[in-house]
């Protein structure tokens, strides 16, 4: 599964678990309009750490917090690329 | 401050009035308490110990107990060392307590305090004659607090503040009680039970650090133990061992950690004939009260009841004022102990539900999830209600969004093989019973959870 697919799958899983309705997602959808609140996002980040071994938002080099779904996915894709090098 | 009407430990034991069946035992030894009247395990003249500040450090519990019988009333101060205190911490404590004599079994690593500090041997046997004590003093008893991190603190008690708190519930005409405890008796929780046993007419069975829980439970059963105490963690471990049925106690006591409804119910089911009581006590505050109605928490009416022990809830935490409270912390940098009005803040957060107060956790263990507070024990109490769960531990996991999220480690019972189903049910249970931010984001099934030497579930403090 690609990083993008894994992120989307975990978003759907967390939304279901937290009884939230996930908005139709595009790269431009702001994170705060996905239907996931900050607790959901916190759980999402922890789940992605468990599934992918990546926690780029906790990394010391991370200064920019993503504000859209596309940016969020891009942060994980960049971290995965870094991890592969 | 010395009072004129104190009693010494040997007077409380009253060796002359005891029969040969009144004994103290551990995994290897059995000592008749009446022999303490004539004999001691302390080598050398007791007069050498007069007025000293003694560090009492032995490997096993029994030499400490035997030595205490003849140190109390003679020495100025005795600092009782639990087994797991490191040599550097013993050195710090020795400085705080102004130790000028070490009593040891010679088997334990002790700090080198220099040539001016006498070293006296105490063994496993009562092999030395006791000299009659000329003049008795009220000895200060210094105990280590059960905190698991950092430099341990010493609190000052006396035999008076340490005794009399545990009622044995033994009716007239009943057989003398046989006491035991999972605790090491060199800690407050265990010392309570030891002193209760020594003040009564019966016997005492000591636990043994080197012994597994199954072997201890077998020994407890063979000794016919009637009264036994431990932390909820001790008891969960006993129930999980499958050997709890080795014993048939009349009185089962829990202290040291909040007892949730699940462990109270499990113990009552395992020992249907026994009275299951949970007590609130801490090294600093002493034993405050017993709860004997089988329910978690305590009746709110205790707050207004007149008695020697006063309870108050202020700022959400339980405060206690009691004649069994420790006098003070000991040491140059020691903080003051009782607050204004003589109340001690226990740091235990309580919440009123109906006509009871329920323990929801320790103030210092609170997890902060995006500014919302979570008490691990409150979440654990819900998880532990699930029939598949033996024990659980809830902790914080760092998170870049909310600072922390709640996660749970869970030990499943021996017959539970479907971890996936159990985790799904636990999530549903927690979502049903708890606020969203309290629900663990993940449940991890583990084989066991670490318990500190104090008998309490080991927690990582934030």
């Amino acid at each position: 599964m690609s990083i993008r697919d894994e992120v989307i799958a975990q978003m759907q899983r967390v939304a279901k678990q937290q009884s939230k309705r996930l908005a139709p997602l595009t790269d431009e959808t702001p994170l705060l309009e996905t239907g996931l609140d900050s607790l959901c996002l916190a759980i999402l980040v922890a789940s992605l750490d468990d599934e992918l071994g990546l926690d780029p938002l906790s990394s010391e080099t991370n200064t920019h917090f993503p504000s859209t779904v596309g940016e969020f996915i891009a942060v994980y894709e960049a971290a995965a690329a870094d991890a592969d090098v | 401050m010395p009072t004129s009407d104190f009693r010494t430990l040997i007077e409380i034991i009253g060796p002359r009035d005891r029969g040969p069946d009144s004994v103290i035992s551990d995994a290897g030894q059995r000592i008749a308490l009446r022999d303490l009247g004539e004999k001691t395990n302390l080598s050398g003249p007791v007069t050498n110990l007069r007025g000293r500040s003694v560090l009492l450090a032995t490997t096993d519990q029994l030499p400490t107990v035997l030595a205490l019988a003849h140190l109390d009333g003679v020495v100025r101060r005795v600092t009782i060392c639990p087994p797991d205190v490191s040599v550097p911490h013993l050195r710090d404590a020795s400085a705080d307590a102004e130790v000028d004599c070490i009593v040891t079994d010679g088997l334990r690593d002790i700090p080198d305090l220099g040539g001016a500090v006498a070293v006296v041997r105490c063994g496993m046997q009562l092999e030395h004659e006791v000299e009659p004590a000329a003049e008795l003093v009220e000895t200060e008893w210094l105990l280590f607090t059960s905190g698991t991190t950092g430099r341990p603190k010493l609190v000052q008690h006396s035999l008076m503040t340490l005794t009399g708190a545990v009622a044995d519930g033994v009716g007239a005409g009943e057989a003398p009680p046989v006491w035991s405890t999972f605790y090491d008796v060199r800690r407050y929780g265990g010392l309570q039970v030891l002193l209760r046993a020594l003040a009564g007419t019966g016997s005492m069975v000591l636990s043994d650090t080197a012994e597994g829980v199954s072997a201890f439970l077998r020994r407890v059963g063979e000794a016919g133990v009637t009264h036994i105490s431990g932390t909820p963690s001790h008891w969960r471990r006993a129930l999980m061992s499958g050997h709890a049925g080795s014993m048939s106690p009349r009185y089962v006591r829990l202290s040291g950690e909040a007892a949730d409804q699940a462990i109270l119910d499990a113990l009552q089911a395992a020992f249907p004939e026994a009275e299951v009581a949970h007590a609130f006590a801490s090294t600093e505050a002493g034993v405050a009260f017993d709860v004997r109605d089988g329910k978690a928490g305590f009746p709110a009416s205790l707050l207004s009841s007149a008695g020697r022990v006063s309870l108050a809830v202020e700022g959400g935490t339980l405060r206690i004022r009691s004649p069994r409270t420790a006098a003070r912390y000991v040491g140059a940098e020691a903080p003051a102990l009782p607050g204004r009005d003589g109340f001690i803040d226990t740091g235990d957060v309580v919440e009123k539900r109906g006509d009871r107060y329920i323990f929801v956790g320790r103030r210092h263990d609170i997890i902060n999830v995006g500014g919302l507070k979570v008490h691990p024990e409150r979440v654990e109490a819900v998880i532990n209600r699930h029939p598949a769960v033996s024990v659980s531990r809830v902790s914080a996991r760092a998170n870049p969004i909310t600072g922390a999220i709640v996660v749970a480690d869970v030990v499943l019972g021996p017959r539970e093989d479907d971890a996936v189903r159990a985790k799904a049910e636990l999530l549903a249970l927690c979502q049903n019973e708890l606020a969203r931010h309290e629900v663990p984001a993940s449940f991890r099934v583990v084989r066991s959870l670490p318990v500190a030497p104090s008998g309490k579930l080991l927690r990582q403090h934030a």
Side-chain angles (χ1 to χ4, degrees):
Chain A
M1 205 190 283
S2 71
I3 296 290
R4 168 176 289 271
D5 291 346
E6 183 68 44
V7 171
I8 299 291
Q10 288 297 335
M11 281 183 162
Q12 289 163 343
R13 190 189 68 80
V14 171
K16 183 166 177 242
Q17 188 206 79
Q18 296 292 317
S19 308
K20 298 286 177 189
R21 250 183 70 187
L22 206 57
L25 299 180
T26 69
D27 276 1
E28 287 70 42
T29 310
L31 274 178
L32 296 181
E33 289 172 22
T34 54
L36 301 177
D37 62 7
S38 63
L39 183 62
C40 292
L41 290 174
I43 296 170
L44 172 65
V45 166
S47 308
L48 288 170
D49 188 10
D50 291 339
E51 294 300 322
L52 302 173
L54 298 173
D55 188 10
L57 298 181
S58 294
S59 109
E60 288 171 12
T61 53
N62 176 60
T63 51
H64 171 67
F65 196 87
S67 58
T68 66
V69 172
E71 288 173 15
F72 187 82
I73 293 170
V75 168
Y76 278 85
E77 286 173 338
D82 281 351
D84 284 344
V85 172
Chain B
M1 193 173 296
T3 51
S4 54
D5 56 349
F6 65 90
R7 295 170 74 205
T8 62
L9 182 55
I10 198 70
E11 288 169 349
I12 286 172
I13 296 172
R16 273 179 262 294
D17 303 328
R18 286 178 183 267
D21 295 332
S22 172
V23 299
I24 184 164
S25 59
D26 68 6
Q29 301 279 326
R30 224 175 113 86
I31 303 275
L33 289 168
R34 67 177 184 181
D35 293 346
L36 281 166
E38 315 270 306
K39 300 274 192 179
T40 175
N41 69 330
L42 293 162
S43 64
V46 170
T47 42
N48 293 354
L49 294 161
R50 193 168 307 287
R52 298 270 198 171
S53 175
V54 166
L55 186 76
L56 179 52
T58 62
T59 298
D60 290 327
Q61 299 177 60
L62 189 55
T64 285
V65 177
L66 300 178
L68 280 169
H70 293 290
L71 290 172
D72 184 61
V74 173
V75 301
R76 172 168 72 94
R77 192 178 252 188
V78 59
T79 302
I80 301 171
C81 303
D84 52 303
V85 180
S86 66
V87 171
H89 282 151
L90 289 181
R91 183 190 313 279
D92 291 341
S94 301
D96 287 343
E98 297 164 349
V99 163
D100 56 11
C101 177
I102 299 180
V103 174
T104 175
D105 57 359
L107 301 172
R108 178 166 175 165
D109 288 335
I110 51 171
D112 179 3
L113 300 178
V117 173
V119 177
V120 172
R121 285 297 172 92
C122 66
M124 294 294 280
Q125 302 291 340
L126 298 174
E127 50 195 355
H128 306 282
E129 297 292 324
V130 176
E131 313 151 51
E135 166 190 359
L136 296 173
V137 295
E138 186 172 20
T139 301
E140 295 172 5
W141 290 50
L142 268 47
L143 303 180
F144 284 81
T145 57
S146 57
T148 50
T149 50
R151 176 173 171 163
K153 289 199 285 273
L154 288 175
V155 295
Q156 179 189 325
H157 277 278
S158 69
L159 200 50
M160 298 296 281
T161 61
L162 291 169
T163 50
V166 184
D168 64 7
V170 179
E174 285 186 63
V178 179
W179 289 83
S180 188
T181 175
F182 292 92
Y183 281 107
D184 192 294
V185 297
R186 292 165 289 185
R187 294 194 172 281
Y188 185 84
L191 189 58
Q192 277 299 310
V193 172
L194 172 75
L195 292 173
R196 192 65 198 82
L198 294 180
T201 54
S203 294
M204 173 78 198
V205 177
L206 298 171
S207 62
D208 195 316
T209 323
E211 185 180 50
V213 64
S214 309
F216 173 60
L217 291 171
R218 238 187 335 267
R219 196 155 57 79
V220 159
E222 284 161 8
V225 164
T226 58
H227 292 56
I228 175 163
S229 85
T231 62
S233 290
H234 283 138
W235 281 112
R236 288 190 191 100
R237 191 180 266 192
L239 292 174
M240 282 156 65
S241 77
H243 290 89
S246 317
M247 60 173 159
S248 47
R250 302 204 297 265
Y251 178 71
V252 164
R253 180 180 173 91
L254 302 93
S255 65
E257 294 174 298
D260 61 29
Q261 196 61 49
I263 186 65
L264 293 173
D265 291 348
L267 285 170
Q268 195 65 74
F271 307 112
E273 305 295 314
E275 177 175 39
V276 177
H278 57 104
F280 180 86
S282 74
T283 310
E284 292 92 335
V287 178
F289 53 85
D290 288 346
V291 180
R292 291 163 178 254
D293 61 8
K295 295 193 207 131
F298 59 91
S301 58
L302 282 181
L303 256 61
S304 49
S305 69
R308 279 152 42 88
V309 176
S310 311
L311 307 181
V313 177
E314 206 182 302
T317 60
L318 179 65
R319 285 141 207 262
I320 290 171
R321 184 174 61 194
S322 147
R324 298 189 286 259
T325 295
R328 59 186 183 107
Y329 288 115
V330 174
E333 295 157 40
L337 189 51
R340 59 196 163 76
D341 307 337
F343 277 91
I344 286 185
D345 183 357
T346 62
D348 287 294
V349 181
V350 293
E351 243 175 49
K352 195 166 179 200
R353 284 182 218 158
D355 57 358
R356 286 181 93 79
Y357 277 97
I358 304 293
F359 290 101
V360 294
R362 299 278 306 156
R363 188 173 46 216
H364 297 298
D365 289 334
I366 289 174
I367 302 170
N368 190 329
V369 180
L372 298 170
K373 288 175 183 173
V374 179
H375 290 285
E377 291 95 332
R378 174 201 186 93
V379 181
E380 288 161 7
V382 171
I383 295 173
N384 292 349
R385 267 196 257 158
H386 191 285
V389 172
S390 292
V391 58
S392 63
R393 181 180 62 184
V394 164
S395 56
R397 173 173 173 180
N399 188 279
I401 312 288
T402 51
I405 55 170
V406 175
V407 294
D409 290 331
V410 178
V411 179
L412 298 178
R415 283 180 299 280
E416 188 57 45
D417 51 8
D418 191 346
V420 174
R421 192 194 61 197
K423 286 204 266 191
E425 288 175 2
L426 285 172
L427 177 65
L429 175 67
C430 288
Q431 286 181 327
N432 208 27
E433 298 286 328
L434 297 166
R436 274 186 71 218
H437 65 284
E438 295 176 307
V439 175
S442 67
F443 293 88
R444 191 167 63 132
V445 172
V446 295
R447 290 180 58 84
S448 64
L449 286 168
V451 173
S454 58
K456 303 180 187 188
L457 203 56
L458 205 57
R459 296 183 187 278
Q460 294 139 338
H461 293 266

